[in-house]
Amino acid sequence: MEAPQCEQRITKVSLAEVLRCFEQPISEEQAWAICFQCCCKMEQLSQGLSPSLHSVFIKGAGSIFLHADGSASFKVYRKSDVGSSIQQSEDKLLEYLGVVIYEALDWGIDDKFERELSDPLEKLLCLMLKLDEKAMKPAVTLQDVIKACEEHLSRPSQASSHYEMTCKHLFAEYMELQNLVTIIQTSRAVHLGSPLTFYSLCLHTLTYCTRNGASIICELQSGVKLRKSTERLQRCMPPKECIRSPYELLLDDIQHKRYTLRKVSD
């Protein structure tokens, strides 16, 4: 009998998959990190590494990948797939990168609402998207964006390690959530004859986790001890009385007619 093949370990995930998994937009710090890591990758490709920068085509969150080591990469097209006319210049790639980051920050938010961004991040996106008239000449460069990301931190010299760790944590959170979903789906398949209320509760918890960050995932991993309902009732203490202001106490006395108010004559 042939031995089952080992499950292939995932080493990268697209930004689009991350957004769909967490069902919420990325944070500003994650936006800074993704922007920095993508620009550093572009800078490496511009130095003649294979594949070249001209083979990169950014279009949507599905064309940007986050790796387990915290680095970033892009969907690459071969010459046989696309013509030379589709090759993009450096400033055009930065413009499309700005579009992807802006959409990731705005992902899932109702069209009636607009997310308020911090001034430095909004200024950077305007620079990349060429929304500022001053940014039209000269054209924005990779070094301009990398420098802006570095100066965003109190210690610019630590930008590389800081942003790498931010992307690494984002990838790890995605993998943790995917593993939990797989475990629950497997458990449901094994326990088909058991009530599904427990698994429905777990799925509801996972949905809550995706909307409230990875801190709850750590709590689930460490374990939660549940008490019996009867034990909880015995341990319940009467709620403490709220501390009220003197004005609220006086109003309560008047409402319960603890005082007799005399009419004041002019």
Side-chain angles (χ1 to χ4, degrees):
M1 182 176 179
E2 186 179 356
Q5 296 181 353
C6 296
E7 184 179 356
Q8 186 177 4
R9 184 181 178 185
I10 299 176
T11 58
K12 68 177 182 179
V13 60
S14 70
L15 180 58
E17 293 177 31
V18 172
L19 293 171
R20 286 193 295 266
C21 176
F22 286 99
E23 296 185 355
Q24 65 179 9
I26 60 174
S27 66
E28 287 201 10
E29 195 59 34
Q30 291 168 346
W32 282 103
I34 294 172
C35 183
F36 180 84
Q37 293 297 84
C38 286
C39 288
C40 288
K41 185 63 177 181
M42 288 184 194
E43 190 176 41
Q44 293 177 2
L45 297 177
S46 65
Q47 296 173 357
L49 297 179
S50 180
S52 66
L53 184 61
H54 292 293
S55 62
V56 174
F57 184 74
I58 300 177
K59 186 177 181 181
S63 58
I64 295 178
F65 296 92
L66 302 178
H67 293 247
D69 61 357
S71 61
S73 64
F74 311 98
K75 184 176 289 186
V76 177
Y77 293 87
R78 299 177 181 177
K79 293 182 179 180
S80 58
D81 298 331
V82 294
S84 58
S85 60
I86 207 169
Q87 293 180 356
Q88 299 170 347
S89 59
E90 180 178 308
D91 64 315
K92 205 65 179 177
L93 285 173
L94 288 174
E95 181 180 350
Y96 288 134
L97 175 61
V99 171
V100 172
I101 292 176
Y102 181 82
E103 290 177 347
L105 286 164
D106 198 51
W107 194 90
I109 299 178
D110 196 303
D111 295 337
K112 298 179 181 178
F113 301 97
E114 183 178 356
R115 178 171 180 175
E116 294 185 3
L117 302 177
S118 62
D119 290 339
L121 183 56
E122 185 175 357
K123 183 178 179 180
L124 176 63
L125 290 176
C126 288
L127 184 70
M128 298 172 67
L129 297 173
K130 302 177 182 178
L131 300 179
D132 189 354
E133 295 181 358
K134 297 180 181 180
M136 299 298 292
K137 294 182 180 180
V140 62
T141 64
L142 286 170
Q143 282 300 323
D144 294 333
V145 180
I146 291 175
K147 183 179 179 181
C149 293
E150 291 175 343
E151 293 178 348
H152 167 66
L153 301 177
S154 57
R155 296 181 179 179
S157 60
Q158 298 181 357
S160 180
S161 59
H162 173 78
Y163 290 132
E164 179 182 298
M165 188 61 63
T166 302
C167 290
K168 186 183 294 185
H169 285 165
L170 181 58
F171 179 88
E173 291 169 8
Y174 168 84
M175 291 304 302
E176 290 287 351
L177 185 56
Q178 289 298 314
N179 291 337
L180 282 174
V181 171
T182 302
I183 291 173
I184 290 178
Q185 290 177 343
T186 304
S187 300
R188 291 186 66 174
V190 173
H191 299 84
L192 289 177
S194 304
L196 297 181
T197 53
F198 170 75
Y199 304 106
S200 300
L201 176 62
C202 289
L203 290 175
H204 176 74
T205 304
L206 284 177
T207 303
Y208 182 80
C209 289
T210 60
R211 296 178 180 175
N212 294 274
S215 59
I216 302 179
I217 296 179
C218 298
E219 295 180 7
L220 290 175
Q221 289 177 334
S222 60
V224 180
K225 183 178 180 181
L226 302 179
R227 297 195 187 101
K228 295 181 180 180
S229 58
T230 54
E231 183 181 359
R232 291 182 61 189
L233 289 175
Q234 293 174 358
R235 291 174 177 263
C236 287
M237 299 294 292
K240 295 182 179 180
E241 185 178 358
C242 298
I243 300 176
R244 294 181 292 181
S245 66
Y247 301 101
E248 292 175 330
L249 293 173
L250 178 60
L251 179 60
D252 184 72
D253 290 336
I254 294 174
Q255 289 176 341
H256 291 83
K257 298 181 180 181
R258 296 191 183 99
Y259 294 100
T260 303
L261 301 181
R262 291 180 293 180
K263 186 176 182 180
V264 179
S265 57
D266 296 335

